[in-house]
Amino acid sequence: MPTAARSDLRTLVESSLTLIEAHQHPSGAYPASPDYPVYRYSWLRDGAFIADAMSRAGRVDSADRFLRWCATVIDSRADRIADLVARADRGEEIGADEMLPTRYTLDGGDGDEPWWNFQLDGYGTWLWVLVTHTARHGRPIDAYRPAIGSTVDYLVAFGDRPCYDWWEEHAEHRHVATLGAVLAGLRAVVHARDAHGEPLLGPARAAAAATVDKLAALVATDGIADGHLTKWLGGTAVDGSLLACLTPFEVVDPRGPVAERTYHQVRDQLLRGGVYRYLGDTFYGGGEWLILTAWLGWHEARTGRTEAALGRLDWIAAQATPEGHLPEQVSGNTQRPGHITEWTERWGPVATPLLWSHAMFVTLALEVGL
């Protein structure tokens, strides 16, 4: 790569880190997008991956602050979680509207907008990032025990339940990317150790390990078709979010045949300049998403496809505005152009900057050694 091009990419990495830090709320929460009204919330999933990028980049305090915010959010709902788990144990019917939300206000409250809100992936992702971050930087994890315990109880009770996917769609299905996030989070805490070298989990460890095995079996039996992972159990389609099941969650061996088949299916079906969420998407016309393009590159870098990964990095950087802001998606190869106006009139232009886009750009840049 020419020195000038490498310098430009490094500049965007640094400005991305600065942007994320500048918009982190005093509480520690990361807003999804500071300038997009309906994204002025913090999603556990988006925020956890933002924190992971900050951790990888050495911005340890920023990652710590977000993870403490997550713990505070969960600790403040410990009684609610215990009640939900007890009701599930009694066999009671629990509505989706009674479950924990997927996003919170920046001060840790429940949002009041009428929006699809029951997702499980964020709770698994925050556990995975917490364990990964504290191990990476030698940070103490013991103070997180209450929040970890509540989260584990919640995921053991409800981790295989149908819910909305990453895109807040199809609540009737069990989504493989969601199951992968839950599996990865539980697996991380099952193997985590405290400051004394003892297993982090106490009596809940056996139930968490059993849930990991159950979810892995579900994916292996019902989440694979024609040799590749599927968007949801019993389906055949692929989705860009499946890339997380390869890298970094390793739900399947990242170099194994299922991962290879999934990678090729996502690349062949969903890649144009960037990566679509899925075929038939109509959100802002169904454009190319920067986070998913970075994810494809992340997996390519991890599996020795360095030149391809560098190409994804260059494509993402080319989407930056003159101010150096990265959007959620771009519409150069939009699937359904007729829907762009509909969403623009409803919510305004595409969310820009999207902090998750900046974070995934940083993650990919670090992965290729920039």
Side-chain angles (χ1 to χ4, degrees):
M1 179 186 297
T3 302
R6 186 177 290 267
S7 176
D8 289 344
L9 291 172
R10 285 176 176 158
T11 296
L12 186 54
V13 167
E14 288 303 314
S15 67
S16 293
L17 293 169
T18 299
L19 179 75
I20 291 169
E21 286 185 324
H23 289 294
Q24 188 170 15
H25 191 265
S27 66
Y30 299 115
S33 178
D35 300 324
Y36 191 69
V38 293
Y39 280 11
R40 290 174 185 165
Y41 290 89
S42 189
W43 273 255
L44 292 187
R45 177 200 56 239
D46 306 25
F49 281 119
I50 295 168
D52 185 56
M54 299 302 276
S55 173
R56 292 170 188 273
R59 307 296 177 101
V60 180
D61 180 65
S62 178
D64 280 344
R65 289 172 57 212
F66 174 78
L67 293 168
R68 287 196 297 269
W69 175 82
C70 290
T72 299
V73 164
I74 292 164
D75 285 341
S76 68
R77 292 162 176 81
D79 290 345
R80 179 177 169 185
I81 292 170
D83 180 63
L84 287 168
V85 170
R87 290 173 60 195
D89 287 344
R90 293 195 296 268
E92 292 185 22
E93 189 74 24
I94 302 173
D97 59 344
E98 299 180 79
M99 306 297 285
L100 297 183
T102 188
R103 66 187 183 284
Y104 296 91
T105 61
L106 300 183
D107 61 4
D110 288 10
D112 57 6
E113 294 195 30
W115 198 356
W116 323 276
N117 207 16
F118 171 42
Q119 295 170 246
L120 293 161
D121 48 69
Y123 294 91
T125 304
W126 105 267
L127 288 180
W128 181 83
V129 171
L130 173 65
V131 172
T132 302
H133 167 72
T134 53
R136 179 185 291 128
H137 294 290
R139 308 295 279 179
I141 198 171
D142 290 33
Y144 292 96
R145 280 182 187 272
I148 291 169
S150 293
T151 306
V152 167
D153 289 345
Y154 184 67
L155 293 178
V156 167
F158 303 110
D160 64 346
R161 177 173 169 153
C163 66
Y164 288 105
D165 64 8
W166 280 29
W167 321 124
E168 281 119 24
E169 298 176 344
H170 299 293
E172 72 278 15
H173 287 294
R174 294 187 288 177
H175 304 276
V176 171
T178 297
L179 296 172
V182 173
L183 186 160
L186 290 176
R187 185 173 57 196
V189 294
V190 163
H191 294 291
R193 300 277 171 168
D194 64 16
H196 306 289
E198 297 298 321
L200 183 65
L201 292 181
R205 190 165 184 255
T211 302
V212 168
D213 291 342
K214 179 175 71 172
L215 296 180
L218 271 176
V219 171
T221 55
D222 297 328
I224 297 174
D226 194 25
H228 63 79
L229 295 174
T230 58
K231 184 176 175 71
W232 54 63
L233 297 185
T236 59
V238 294
D239 187 285
S241 60
L242 291 171
L243 292 167
C245 292
L246 316 183
T247 298
F249 291 153
E250 299 189 5
V251 175
V252 295
D253 178 356
R255 295 177 180 272
V258 174
E260 279 293 290
R261 179 69 172 158
T262 304
Y263 163 73
H264 284 288
Q265 287 293 304
V266 169
R267 190 191 63 183
D268 295 347
Q269 292 189 36
L270 304 181
L271 177 66
R272 300 302 182 265
V275 177
Y276 293 147
R277 298 193 299 179
Y278 55 87
L279 293 179
D281 188 8
T282 61
F283 182 52
Y284 283 96
E288 303 149 290
W289 281 58
L290 277 66
I291 61 164
L292 296 177
T293 307
W295 231 297
L296 187 68
W298 190 6
H299 181 66
E300 288 168 334
R302 284 283 179 94
T303 53
R305 302 171 172 100
T306 306
E307 287 304 312
L310 288 168
R312 312 300 175 217
L313 196 69
D314 287 337
W315 182 88
I316 296 167
Q319 313 312 313
T321 67
E323 299 79 23
H325 293 173
L326 295 175
E328 183 173 60
Q329 63 172 298
V330 294
S331 52
N333 291 296
T334 306
Q335 298 181 65
R336 305 288 179 85
H339 288 269
I340 296 175
T341 300
E342 167 196 344
W343 285 99
T344 304
E345 290 178 348
R346 184 185 304 185
W347 283 355
V350 168
T352 309
L354 189 82
L355 299 194
W356 196 9
S357 292
H358 284 275
M360 294 305 298
F361 175 78
V362 169
T363 295
L364 177 55
L366 294 173
E367 194 66 35
V368 299
L370 197 65

